[in-house]
Amino acid sequence: MKNMSSKIVGVATGLVFIGSSVFAQSLADAKKAIDAEQYQKAKSMLKNLTATQSTKDENFFYLGWVYLEQEYVDSAKATFTKGLAANPKSALNYAGLGAVALANKDQAGAQTNFNQALSLAGKDSKPYQYVGESYLLGDKPDGAAAVAVLTKGVAVNAKDPDLYVSLGDAYRSQLKNTEAVTAYQNALNLNPKLAAAKVSTGVVWRQANNWEESEKEFKDALAIDPNFGPAYREWAETDIRWAQKVPAQASAKVNEAVEQYRKFLSLTDNSVESRLRYADFLYQAGKFKELQEEATALSKMPNANLRAYRYLGYAGYENADYTTANTALNTWLTKADPKRVIPYDYYYLGRIQLKAKDTTAALQTFEKTVQLDTTMGDLYADIAKIYYAKRQFVKAGDNYAQYVSKSNKATLNDYFSEGFSYYFAYGDQLSSKATPKPVADTMLLVKADSAFSHIQSKLTTPNTMVTLYRARLYDLKEKDRNNIVGYAKPFYEKLIEYTTAKPTPTEADKKNLAEAYAYLGAYAEYKEKDAAKASENYTKAREADPTNRPALDYFKRKGGAAAKGK
């Protein structure tokens, strides 16, 4: 009996052990690990579940979803396909394939798979949730599409708190903060222990620059679950935003952010993916020394994730280690899947090429960057400067025009550069020795004058330099001094008015003044046929600048007493 009893105890113990093992490997626990961003742990559990419960399509879906979260799109697609092999009517796995199609910029394929997912969903709200979340993945979320499908999901099952969290995220992507907070509160009403809803509410307050309220929500989430890592991550990213907006607290908040992020890492599996996200955080925090150290370590790991080279390239540039930066970025750009390359990769490559004084390569790279992302308006200034240095003034002007229209950093000096470029472009065309001689494009003068007049409209006092160049560009319209029209006359008169009002004109002012008087002299001589007035203006030109060529030529033509200034 004793032996039998021992065997029974042994069997019972074994059953308890097996039961605990199965519980530890349950889908619910895997989903909890996903929510906590413990992706390696979740993958391990889900791989086990797909092997031991290979007929359950849900196991394949959540494994595929983890791959998507980590940007392993091909692995995700293969896993969703296995899920459909396990159950050809798996709505979730169709939703997953739709998400893969979106990641691959295949809108038609995405819509086909999403439609199939929702047609098979029935009363299950989860396919609606994940179709909605699919629209929120990547750099350019489609919040409107997500809201539309998630709202349909709520109609199917208004008791699913996770659905409301996803709906809140969709509204948040559209900056509809009131609607987002309402959705998160609906989720909490259904499940007051839902830490994710608290964290997401904190992110909304961060978007509104309400740092204290944001911080409170993260603390509330950690009160619900002290080990909920995403709360620390979002808290860290809030501290960074706080530091950027409130310079007086910047240093303290950046250091606090780094500490919060380390807590997040300690609560995840510290996987390569988590460390890559940490690298992204270090970039946002401006911690480039630490970023280069982390990226270097990641790049030396066996089968290193190629994204490590992106961060190594960025950090190397910011740390003035241009050789390392160039090697790393070229490794990333030549080996990474083209779909994973972003415009900022080329932005940094172009910056590195500029440092190497390879302006031709930098120009090609920058132009490729703005083609990929036309919102990167700041780059147009770099492109314009390169073209200007190459004396390709039309292209320089065009790119300055793009810069002032698309960048919020443009100053009046940039408008001046735009005007200068078009002005010189016209002058080059006018003096071209090419055969056949090009017809000078007067629209260039119109564009130049538009830029100069914009500057003057923004100034409370007249600017003599702007007035001078408006006069000069109108002077360029004159075909022949013998048939002078007087386009530039009002501008040169204004220039004289502004300059003579100065208490102590500079030498440059005097030369410009002489230029203005010489023009008026020519106008009086050739247009008005007023010899006395012409002589008076040329005399004033010579007095302002004894070297003024038009004045000297005039008196040389007249000879005698006039030549001696009498």
Side-chain angles (χ1 to χ4, degrees), residues 352-404:
I352 293 164
Q353 290 164 338
L354 269 187
K355 290 294 182 181
K357 302 189 184 306
D358 189 350
T359 55
T360 300
L363 184 60
Q364 292 174 345
T365 302
F366 286 150
E367 289 189 323
K368 183 172 186 176
T369 307
V370 293
Q371 286 170 8
L372 292 170
D373 186 353
T374 57
T375 65
M376 294 183 72
D378 293 353
L379 265 187
Y380 286 104
D382 295 284
I383 296 171
K385 289 173 185 175
I386 295 172
Y387 275 126
Y388 192 93
K390 291 177 178 290
R391 297 188 61 84
Q392 295 184 39
F393 294 122
V394 175
K395 289 183 177 180
D398 290 345
N399 280 283
Y400 274 121
Q402 291 276 20
Y403 179 62
V404 299

Side-chain angles (χ1 to χ4, degrees), residues 465 468 472 499 505-514:
M465 191 60 66
L468 172 66
R472 285 179 174 175
T499 305
T506 65
E507 288 303 310
D509 287 332
K510 292 175 183 178
K511 286 186 177 295
N512 296 337
L513 194 60

